[in-house]
Amino acid sequence: MYDVSRTDYGVRIVAEGFVGKDELKEMMREAAKVTSELETGFGLLFDARGMFALPPEAAEVLKHSMATAKQNGMGRSAQILEDAINTLQFNRLAREAGISDTMRQIDPAGGPDCERVAMDWIVKGIDPEK
């Protein structure tokens, strides 16, 4: 299950459960449709708290989508991840896609304000890693 929505800062994606290659392709098509209407520098929040680790073929789709979003003007992005395997997977994909410099991962175990921390990074550039 997933939801893609346009926001003041760009796009917000929420994904839960198992997300296979076909569902991820559909999700990324919806996100690309939203981002195509945005100005350069748009932000992206990917809330994957309830999502299982991606199978390899779906992970490749996500990596390609990350790289495409950057090429199409994505500024800062944040990923909210609670699972250690997802965190490692998303970190690797971000590195391979070339977005790790503008992407931050937020662990919701750090407190109830994880969305605020993510928004501070996306909108204000306040780095949660410092």
Side-chain angles (χ1 to χ4, degrees):
M1 183 174 91
Y2 70 88
D3 179 64
V4 176
S5 54
R6 184 175 178 157
T7 66
D8 292 342
Y9 58 84
V11 64
R12 182 174 194 260
I13 302 171
V14 179
E16 296 179 348
F18 176 79
V19 179
K21 178 183 177 181
D22 293 336
E23 188 175 18
L24 190 65
K25 279 184 174 181
E26 184 178 324
M27 181 190 332
M28 294 299 107
R29 273 194 296 271
E30 286 183 34
K33 189 176 181 182
V34 171
T35 60
S36 71
E37 302 168 355
L38 301 174
E39 294 181 25
T40 298
F42 67 86
L44 186 143
L45 174 61
F46 195 126
D47 186 341
R49 281 181 267 198
M51 192 174 87
F52 300 133
L54 294 170
E57 63 277 1
E60 285 301 310
V61 170
L62 182 58
K63 179 173 73 172
H64 175 73
S65 297
M66 289 174 167
T68 301
K70 183 173 183 173
Q71 291 169 358
N72 291 338
M74 180 178 71
R76 290 184 289 269
S77 65
Q79 302 164 344
I80 300 176
L81 303 158
E82 63 186 353
D83 180 78
I85 293 171
N86 281 0
T87 301
L88 290 171
Q89 184 180 49
F90 274 60
N91 190 37
R92 177 182 58 81
L93 295 172
R95 239 185 5 264
E96 292 174 1
I99 68 163
S100 57
D101 59 329
T102 58
M103 183 272 304
R104 296 296 181 268
Q105 293 177 327
I106 313 298
D107 182 353
D113 292 340
C114 64
E115 285 199 42
R116 181 193 53 76
V117 171
M119 295 308 305
D120 283 348
W121 166 247
I122 293 169
V123 176
K124 300 175 185 173
I126 299 172
D127 195 337
E129 296 178 358
K130 293 187 178 185

